[in-house]
Amino acid sequence: QQQQQQQQQRDGTASAPSPVRNRGGQVSRSGSSRAPKRSLNGDNVAWALSEIRNHLEAIADVEGVPELLERFPECVLLGGIAARRELVAALLGEHAAATSAAALLVAPGMRQPLALELRSGAEDFGSFNGPEAEAWLQSISKAVSQAVGHRLKVDPLRLRLSVMGCANLDIVDLPEKGSQGQSGGVPAKLEEMRVRHVGSSSNLLVCLEPGPPLDMCRRYDPQLRRTVLLGAAAASIRGGDDPLPPSMLCGPAAARSLEEKFAILCHERIPQWTAGLERLETRLSKSQTEAREIEQRETSDEVLRRARAAGTSFGRALEHVINGAPGCTAGALTLEDELVEFAASAAKGHCGTGTILSPQDAANAVADLFANFDGVEGYANYLRTEVHVSGADVPLNGGAAWQRLLAEVEVAMRLSHPPPDELAALMLNAVRAGGTGVHGHQRWEDVSSKLMFAIAFEPLRRRIRYVTARVVWVLKHQKAAVSEWMSTLSDGPASRLYSPLFSEHLSILRQYPIVRELVFGAYNDAVSIVGEQVLKSLEGTLMAACINPEIMLRTPTEPDLDPRNPANAQRARGGGGKAGKANQARERVATEMRRRTSGPSGGLPVQLRDRIFEPKEAVQTLPFVEVKLRHAFAVLANILANQAFAFSDTSLATLCRRQVDEAMNKIDYSPEQNRALAARHTELEEVAKQVEERLSAVRRCLATLRSVRS
């Protein structure tokens, strides 16, 4: 009984408090009589039912718990207000406050079902007269006031009353149709209440009067198997002039009889409740194990380890896709579609790379090339009809799309030309570049170098930026093709040709957004690194050629390395001693100088070499200089086109064999990802803890039921 009192104190439902003892341990009294004790039949199962209900209502959102709660029996009172009050007063016990409490609990203004858990206290709580009784009744009035109003509420108001001498059972009192003076049909909500409580096969129907209450019982219980007839209802069924036994009247005997029937019904249904709770325990145990496993998998170290492993597999898959992967169509585009998407990405500022190529510079370079063809469609048509780029009309991805890209960037670089405005201002620029410097008068070589820088550097640098942006964009868009190829290895013949880690790591990429974000971010960083290498290499060549175009235009050396040549054979044998070797070296140098000076030169005309720049001669000489500058521009554009092809192709090998692995091994969390991962792990811990608490609640319910059965 002490455990029952402690449970009453822990109860979270609204309850009207019982009279309490004072600090000295004496019962507070305002009168001389004590409420007589009554039989506690069924008190054990009733208190167990309250404890189980408390635990289950705390986890009511768990699947199956609402169904378990609906199986707990209640006694639904059907009859007039006077009859219901009389029975409730008898159930509350034989004391002066019972009638007043029943009047408060069964009131005509109720607009909500009132579910009462009546529990007998463990000891006598003293007199029900004076201030104690008044305080108890006021607490009941305050609790019941929640059910009084103008709008019907379907959900019941559950109250627990624990007082010495009351019955141990649960009752439900439904609002009456005419509680607001309504006329006509039954309101929909009231009908819903009746179906929920009267129609429940778990409940006992306590019919107190004939007529509509008895008709309602017959409606939901045609055989009256779960109907208890008391008072006038029992008299109407029994007939005759014989008086009813006390157990069928609305008095203390009827209350004890109803309590016994409620206890018997509960004991009969304990095996069903136990089976339902055991099934719930099994399901929650499995959920607890899964929640703990997920929590362990979501730790920061474990997620980082999986991200690096998945990134390494992604890099290996990239090599297979670039080398050719049949049946992989993700991201496959024709050349025109690819260029259109690339132009849209550049316009949105998505084509920058690292810190040396800003999105705006990339967008300007793309717009500069496409403007020469009245848009990207014109450029694509030129490549398809004039250049005849291989596979222009075929949707390609992977290695085939990469080879098409190399051909396209080479053409784009060769299409560079000097800007017309710079050529028109060549005379003015030449005069500005001439004059006297710190080393004396400027020579034509110095002026031509400055003019070359003015007309070639910016247009060729824009084209280099275009090449870099194209390479980076195409490489970044290989992620879809790589992911699809990895997905094809999950089953079929291909699954036996490649490592099963491909499929395993792809599932990790799809299942964990943070892993996918880390891997794809590291891959984009690796692509940006190789893009920067391409950009720096091409810009280095451009800068050197613009600063000293003479070196670029110098006649190339053609050494004779044929061993069948007698002179080469003699040099190889080292004949002639030291003097002979010196003579051979002088002869080789003289021959090289004659070849460079006597052959055709791409530099300045002979008349302007090693000559001081004179502005008055510029009008006659600049046309010849312009021709040489155009030639130098074309030579430089061809050199850069060849290097763009070579450096771009080399960048792919560097990406697959080095940069991807290095980037994946350097994967780490950003501050935002750290916070997100910590929040996620905290959330999983809370979920696991919640599942454990729910499992503990179910196990406490099972322990309570088993103690009742024993």
Side-chain angles (χ1 to χ4, degrees):
Q1 297 298 338
Q2 182 179 3
Q3 180 182 4
Q4 295 172 1
Q5 294 296 331
Q6 293 174 353
Q7 173 61 33
Q8 174 189 351
Q9 295 173 2
R10 293 194 303 266
D11 180 21
T13 59
S15 61
S18 303
V20 296
R21 290 180 177 271
N22 57 21
R23 293 185 179 180
Q26 300 296 324
V27 177
S28 301
R29 302 172 181 271
S30 58
S32 59
S33 63
R34 297 169 62 92
K37 293 186 178 181
R38 60 177 297 159
S39 172
L40 297 180
N41 293 332
D43 60 345
N44 190 22
V45 68
W47 278 105
L49 197 62
S50 294
E51 183 178 355
I52 294 171
R53 187 185 294 275
N54 286 342
H55 293 316
L56 293 182
E57 286 180 347
I59 59 172
D61 56 335
V62 177
E63 182 182 359
V65 170
E67 290 76 8
L68 284 174
L69 288 171
E70 290 177 358
R71 296 178 188 174
F72 293 162
E74 294 174 323
C75 299
V76 183
L77 306 184
L78 299 174
I81 291 181
R84 300 201 313 272
R85 283 181 177 175
E86 182 181 359
L87 180 59
V88 170
L91 293 172
L92 287 175
E94 301 177 39
H95 51 80
T99 303
S100 301
L104 293 173
L105 294 171
V106 184
M110 292 293 179
R111 307 298 290 160
Q112 183 178 6
L114 185 62
L116 297 177
E117 297 181 18
L118 303 181
R119 300 293 182 264
S120 177
E123 52 186 308
D124 190 351
F125 280 90
S127 172
F128 282 94
N129 296 316
E132 290 182 348
E134 188 66 27
W136 186 65
L137 292 174
Q138 287 180 0
S139 64
I140 293 178
S141 176
K142 182 178 179 181
V144 172
S145 63
Q146 303 176 47
V148 179
H150 300 282
R151 188 177 62 178
L152 285 172
K153 301 177 183 178
V154 176
D155 294 330
L157 173 64
R158 185 168 296 277
L159 304 178
R160 181 172 301 161
L161 279 73
S162 177
V163 62
M164 183 62 188
C166 77
N168 288 285
L169 77 167
D170 297 345
I171 63 175
V172 175
D173 186 55
L174 300 178
E176 291 187 333
K177 173 185 174 183
S179 58
Q180 278 190 316
Q182 295 179 353
S183 60
V186 178
K189 288 187 177 181
L190 186 58
E191 183 65 24
E192 184 178 352
M193 297 177 200
R194 292 175 178 177
V195 172
R196 178 174 177 178
H197 297 283
V198 182
S200 174
S201 60
S202 301
N203 293 341
L204 290 176
L205 307 183
V206 182
C207 184
L208 304 175
E209 293 180 346
L214 185 57
D215 294 339
M216 187 182 302
C217 292
R218 294 185 183 277
R219 173 186 172 188
Y220 292 100
D221 183 23
Q223 304 299 326
L224 299 181
R225 293 179 179 177
R226 55 186 182 90
T227 301
V228 179
L229 300 175
L230 298 178
S236 66
I237 294 295
R238 185 171 182 176
D241 297 331
D242 296 335
L244 294 174
S247 61
M248 300 184 69
L249 298 175
C250 296
R256 286 192 294 271
S257 175
L258 187 60
E259 179 184 11
E260 292 174 357
K261 292 180 180 179
F262 181 81
I264 293 173
L265 180 62
C266 289
H267 279 286
E268 290 176 352
R269 295 184 179 178
I270 283 179
Q272 300 178 12
W273 301 340
T274 303
L277 287 172
E278 287 175 348
R279 289 192 296 269
L280 184 60
E281 180 189 21
T282 302
R283 190 166 68 249
L284 287 177
S285 298
K286 183 178 179 181
S287 299
Q288 180 195 23
T289 303
E290 294 175 352
R292 284 303 177 189
E293 290 177 354
I294 293 174
E295 179 192 354
Q296 294 299 324
R297 290 199 303 266
E298 292 288 337
T299 60
S300 58
D301 293 340
E302 182 64 19
V303 172
L304 189 61
R305 184 194 65 80
R306 287 202 302 269
R308 290 174 176 173
T312 302
S313 291
F314 187 86
R316 299 294 178 269
L318 175 65
E319 295 185 38
H320 290 290
V321 171
I322 294 300
N323 292 333
C328 180
T329 60
L333 298 171
T334 63
L335 181 58
E336 182 174 354
D337 293 338
E338 181 180 316
L339 289 172
V340 169
E341 287 195 15
F342 170 67
S345 298
K348 295 177 182 178
H350 298 163
C351 291
T353 174
T355 58
I356 63 174
L357 179 58
S358 66
Q360 186 60 44
D361 290 339
N364 293 337
V366 173
D368 176 71
L369 174 61
F370 294 160
N372 297 322
F373 297 90
D374 297 328
V376 62
E377 292 81 4
Y379 177 62
N381 183 63
Y382 170 79
L383 294 174
R384 183 174 57 254
T385 59
E386 300 295 334
V387 183
H388 302 290
V389 173
S390 178
D393 293 327
V394 181
L396 300 176
N397 64 357
W402 178 254
Q403 294 300 322
R404 187 176 63 186
L405 167 74
L406 295 179
E408 187 261 322
V409 296
E410 181 182 4
V411 172
M413 185 60 70
R414 295 187 189 278
L415 289 174
S416 303
H417 55 83
D421 53 344
E422 291 293 339
L423 293 176
L426 197 61
M427 175 66 72
L428 179 60
N429 291 335
V431 173
R432 289 174 177 174
T436 302
V438 294
H439 299 292
H441 297 293
Q442 296 288 322
R443 298 182 177 275
W444 271 103
E445 287 82 355
D446 302 325
V447 174
S448 63
S449 176
K450 295 177 181 179
L451 293 177
M452 180 67 181
F453 198 95
I455 68 171
F457 187 78
E458 281 302 325
L460 289 176
R461 186 167 70 165
R462 283 196 297 270
R463 203 52 51 87
I464 290 173
R465 288 172 174 172
Y466 171 83
V467 171
T468 303
R470 281 284 287 140
V471 169
V472 170
W473 187 86
V474 169
L475 289 177
K476 286 184 177 180
H477 280 70
Q478 296 300 316
K479 293 192 287 288
V482 174
S483 299
E484 182 183 355
W485 181 80
M486 294 173 69
S487 66
T488 61
L489 306 181
S490 58
D491 52 10
S495 62
R496 297 176 176 83
L497 300 177
Y498 299 95
S499 170
L501 292 177
F502 284 124
S503 300
E504 177 184 341
H505 290 154
L506 178 64
S507 64
I508 292 176
L509 289 174
R510 291 177 173 176
Q511 184 177 359
Y512 298 98
I514 191 170
V515 173
R516 183 169 60 251
E517 182 180 352
L518 289 171
V519 171
F520 287 175
Y523 175 74
N524 289 340
D525 292 341
V527 171
S528 297
I529 290 175
V530 299
E532 290 180 3
Q533 292 175 353
V534 171
L535 181 63
K536 289 179 180 179
S537 299
L538 294 176
E539 284 189 344
T541 301
L542 173 63
M543 181 67 71
C546 289
I547 291 176
N548 195 347
E550 286 292 333
I551 297 178
M552 175 186 65
L553 299 174
R554 181 178 297 169
T555 303
T557 303
E558 298 179 359
D560 186 4
L561 302 178
D562 188 358
R564 293 172 295 180
N565 190 333
N568 293 336
Q570 183 179 0
R571 284 196 297 269
R573 290 192 299 268
K578 292 184 179 180
K581 291 182 179 179
N583 292 332
Q584 291 175 6
R586 284 194 295 271
E587 181 182 355
R588 186 174 63 254
V589 171
T591 303
E592 176 67 19
M593 295 303 296
R594 283 194 301 272
R595 181 182 294 113
R596 292 186 179 185
T597 57
S598 62
S601 174
L604 291 171
V606 179
Q607 298 83 357
L608 298 179
R609 294 179 186 175
D610 198 20
R611 184 173 178 178
I612 296 175
F613 173 78
E614 293 291 344
K616 60 183 179 181
E617 299 176 355
V619 177
Q620 292 81 17
T621 57
L622 272 180
F624 301 99
V625 174
E626 181 179 349
V627 172
K628 296 298 182 180
L629 289 174
R630 288 177 179 271
H631 173 68
F633 189 99
V635 171
L636 180 55
N638 288 334
I639 292 174
L640 290 174
N642 294 332
Q643 291 189 357
F645 186 100
F647 291 158
S648 299
D649 198 19
T650 304
S651 68
L652 180 61
T654 304
L655 176 68
C656 295
R657 298 175 184 175
R658 177 182 176 183
Q659 296 299 338
V660 169
D661 287 346
E662 291 184 358
M664 298 306 172
N665 290 330
K666 293 178 182 177
I667 285 179
D668 204 352
Y669 303 119
S670 65
E672 294 78 9
Q673 290 172 334
N674 263 323
R675 289 192 292 269
L677 200 61
R680 171 64 175 167
H681 191 256
T682 302
E683 179 184 351
L684 292 176
E685 285 182 339
E686 292 296 330
V687 170
K689 183 178 179 181
Q690 185 183 44
V691 173
E692 289 179 355
E693 291 175 351
R694 293 176 174 182
L695 179 59
S696 177
V698 172
R699 286 174 175 170
R700 287 195 295 269
C701 293
L702 279 171
T704 302
L705 276 182
R706 288 164 182 162
S707 65
V708 172
R709 293 181 64 181
S710 62

